[in-house]
Amino acid sequence: METIKEYYSQESSERESSIILPVGCGKSGLITLTPFAVKSKKTLVIAPGLHIASQLYKDFDPSLESMFYSKCLVLDGAPYPEPAEIRGNTTNRSDLDEAEVVITNIQQLQGANNRWLSSLPSDFFDLILVDEAHHNVAESWNMLRRTFPEARIVNYSATPRRADGQIMSGQIIYTFPIVGAIEEGYVKRLKAVVLNPRTLKYVRREDGQEIVVSLDEVKRLGETDSDFRRSIVTSQETLYTIVDASIRALNRNREQSGNSNHKIIASALNRQHCIQIMEAYRARGLRAAYVHSLQDNEDNDHALDQLKNNQLDVIVQVRKLGEGFDHPLLSVAAVFSVFNELSPFVQFVGRIMRAIDQNAPESLNNQGTVVFHAGSNIARLWEDFQDFSQADREFFDQLLPMEELDFSNTDEIILEPGASPRNRRENQVEIRGQEGVSVLEIPLILEDDEVKKALELLKSKGVTLEDIQVAYEHQPIYTTRQRERQAARQSLDETVKNEVGYILRQRGINPQGRDLDRKRLGKTNFVILKSAVDKRINEFVGKATGMRHEFSREELDAIKGNLTHIITEALEEVL
């Protein structure tokens, strides 16, 4: 706060500034204090989405005991800054006129003819505060700057870089390195667990040739070949090693801390991948669920309630639990997705960074682990994260210029849009097996000065970092055939629902419509098609309706292998 006050007290200060704070280091509280630092009369607080905007409003809401000013004893009592939020048609101009702080999400202020941007005078706000400001290079933010040209702007983020590589706007006037946050116990102490196969066997579909490669080649292919990366995180052989290693990391956290509520968060490529990962964890006896934007909100809410009530061990998601999601008991991050840039990777890792025991750097509860495979190209991002975590202000002044970086492909999901279920992109690389998988532990921060000096000496003698990392042999998590069957049966229904929804959307058919209800039974298109698929599945294995509990492992495997054909037949039946 003192830095902000000092910066804007200078006549030579630029209009826009930026603050870099790691996850869990008081960013929301600082936002409530900034209007006082710059003596603002009317402040606009903007979030990138509704969820974060709602959280920020609670920090200003005087009707809540958790309001920041009273909870942290910033003010002795009323009067408090008068808040208002822009939320659709529930807000009118008089609300904003009476407010001293206005909170909203950027979507409420988008569009050239936006009613607020076109009706408010240019001097209405003298201060704009932007949360998660690595989003703020887009045109919608630029329009906001032009609408209120005299307003000072302060940006807040845990990372200065957007997912597309651009640097967020504003001169960076303060950074709090993660190394400092760890030393103070504000965030968890992090380490990476890297799965290194001695050799890996794979086949390219284009020629069917089986190839065996060394660990060095696995890493090189992970860096250069997107098909290889995708296969690493989806193929059963390698996916299971990530699952098993993350379970071992979870068990270590629970045993060392004595806290059985530590949990895993897993990043997936798409909804079907969520189901595949969830099934693998369930087969190993863990309670797992997933959340996804294409899933019903009711199902997502149920999964999140289970997570908060400690009824889950694993939550799987595709960028669903991002910025603003706060559950400190997430302690293991299992990387099954493809990250091409540092910013989204840091945002995902941020989900496990929040400290459980505040201001207790030595607490065994405050240990976080990131698990990834050597062939997924995450090691490069981890090294970037190590540099970022120990950075000070000079780091941001020396960021590489834009023209030297290739940000042409920043999608996390490598998926061909528009393809039908029969023609969806299949992995062009099939992983057949891997041998001699070792587990490498790499700390995020090397904090002991003597250790640092020893490492420098070893490096000067030609000893590489890999030579001196702690490595041990990977051991699979054993499961039972019964659990495998039970998990496969549960995931079958999830897979059918996913495929049915996908088919209907691809064909432009509203899942909640009644177009396919030829018999006027009052059933939706989704229910009609799913019922037809379920019927075909039962016929495929010769089982009657209501007998799925009798499906064997072999029958479930056969259904999975022929599901595309089964769905095609069902589709022809109802259309």
Side-chain angles (χ1 to χ4, degrees), residues 202-262:
Y202 72 94
V203 173
R204 288 202 175 277
R205 296 189 187 278
E206 59 189 25
D207 56 19
Q209 181 181 357
E210 188 170 273
I211 304 169
V212 178
V213 293
S214 66
L215 174 58
D216 287 342
E217 183 67 1
V218 168
K219 293 178 180 177
R220 188 193 69 78
L221 287 167
E223 292 172 359
T224 60
D225 191 326
S226 61
D227 285 325
F228 186 84
R229 285 196 298 272
R230 181 180 174 85
S231 292
I232 284 294
V233 296
T234 58
S235 299
Q236 180 172 299
E237 285 282 349
T238 45
L239 182 145
Y240 284 177
T241 60
I242 301 173
V243 168
D244 292 346
S246 66
I247 293 173
R248 290 194 180 282
L250 177 69
N251 290 340
R252 280 198 300 272
N253 275 6
R254 287 177 169 181
E255 291 166 6
Q256 291 174 2
S257 67
N259 184 347
S260 62
N261 291 325
H262 284 275

Side-chain angles (χ1 to χ4, degrees), residues 392-449:
D392 55 17
R393 196 170 304 171
E394 281 93 26
F395 168 79
F396 302 105
D397 295 336
Q398 297 168 10
L399 287 171
L400 294 174
M402 287 295 298
E403 59 267 25
E404 294 186 13
L405 300 174
D406 177 13
F407 297 116
S408 58
N409 178 15
T410 58
D411 292 336
E412 180 185 7
I413 303 171
I414 304 176
L415 196 63
E416 288 188 355
S420 70
R422 284 167 290 179
N423 297 317
R424 281 192 209 175
R425 172 177 174 174
E426 293 184 354
N427 289 351
Q428 299 305 303
V429 177
E430 178 188 351
I431 307 296
R432 288 283 178 87
Q434 52 184 353
E435 294 184 357
V437 179
S438 61
V439 180
L440 193 68
E441 291 192 358
I442 306 175
L444 182 68
I445 307 293
L446 290 171
E447 296 167 288
D448 190 304
D449 288 337

Side-chain angles (χ1 to χ4, degrees), residues 537 540 555-568:
I537 287 173
F540 181 78
E555 287 171 334
L556 288 164
D557 287 342
I559 292 167
K560 184 181 294 186
N562 291 274
L563 190 57
T564 298
H565 177 69
I566 293 170
I567 291 175
T568 300

